Amino acid sequence: MRIISPYIIIIILTSFVVEVTGQPDTDPPLSPVLGLVTINQLTGYAEISWTASSSPDVTGYVVYEYINDAGHSLDTIYNPLITNYIHHNLKPSEISVSYVVAALDTAGNISPLSNFLNTIFLTASLDTCNKNIGLEWNSYPSYPRG
């Protein structure tokens, strides 16, 4: 009669228990809160900052450009402590750009998109005859207040 090693029995039982009890993480993390979008006057780049997600298993953030109510990924930051981003490929003298951010957790789940914020596009016109300077800018969503 052959005796089975207790180590083999432990390995078999352990792998069975892990397979039976292991539940995949399908819960998305909580969304970060986008707090600031501004144009750095020296560089011309958009600077974006947000409040970190309060979920404990966040591993990073995905930064999106927000176009027609949909997020288009710009970059993924694999560090939960970084809560700012610089968008280098922006043309602030030509358009207004909206941004959102989402949190990414250890299981690869992505949070719902954050609130959106956008840059303000300003145009100036000079009327030397009337000694006037006209300023026009895009409308801004009433966030946080009207």
Side-chain angles (χ1 to χ4, degrees):
M1 184 160 152
R2 206 166 189 204
I3 299 176
I4 299 176
S5 167
Y7 296 112
I8 293 175
I9 293 172
I10 290 172
I11 291 171
I12 292 171
L13 289 175
T14 304
S15 64
F16 178 72
V17 170
V18 169
E19 187 174 315
V20 171
T21 61
Q23 297 279 334
D25 176 11
T26 58
D27 294 330
L30 297 172
S31 299
V33 176
L34 196 54
L36 177 69
V37 171
T38 190
I39 302 296
N40 182 311
Q41 294 301 309
L42 296 176
T43 64
Y45 300 145
E47 296 180 359
I48 306 156
S49 62
W50 57 90
T51 303
S53 169
S54 59
S55 296
D57 61 342
V58 169
T59 60
Y61 296 95
V62 182
V63 179
Y64 298 89
E65 192 170 339
Y66 194 62
I67 304 169
N68 297 325
D69 297 326
H72 301 275
S73 177
L74 293 173
D75 206 350
T76 302
I77 301 163
Y78 294 100
N79 184 335
L81 302 177
I82 295 176
T83 57
N84 55 59
Y85 179 78
I86 297 174
H87 185 197
H88 295 98
N89 297 328
L90 177 69
K91 297 179 182 175
S93 61
E94 297 175 16
I95 58 172
S96 172
V97 179
S98 296
Y99 298 95
V100 291
V101 180
L104 180 66
D105 73 9
T106 55
N109 300 312
I110 296 178
S111 75
L113 298 177
S114 69
N115 57 302
F116 76 93
L117 292 177
N118 58 275
T119 61
I120 295 176
F121 177 60
L122 175 69
T123 56
S125 59
L126 178 62
D127 182 353
T128 55
C129 294
N130 293 317
K131 297 180 183 177
N132 285 329
I133 298 175
L135 300 176
E136 292 184 32
W137 55 89
N138 60 293
S139 62
Y140 197 78
S142 52
Y143 177 83
R145 292 188 155 139

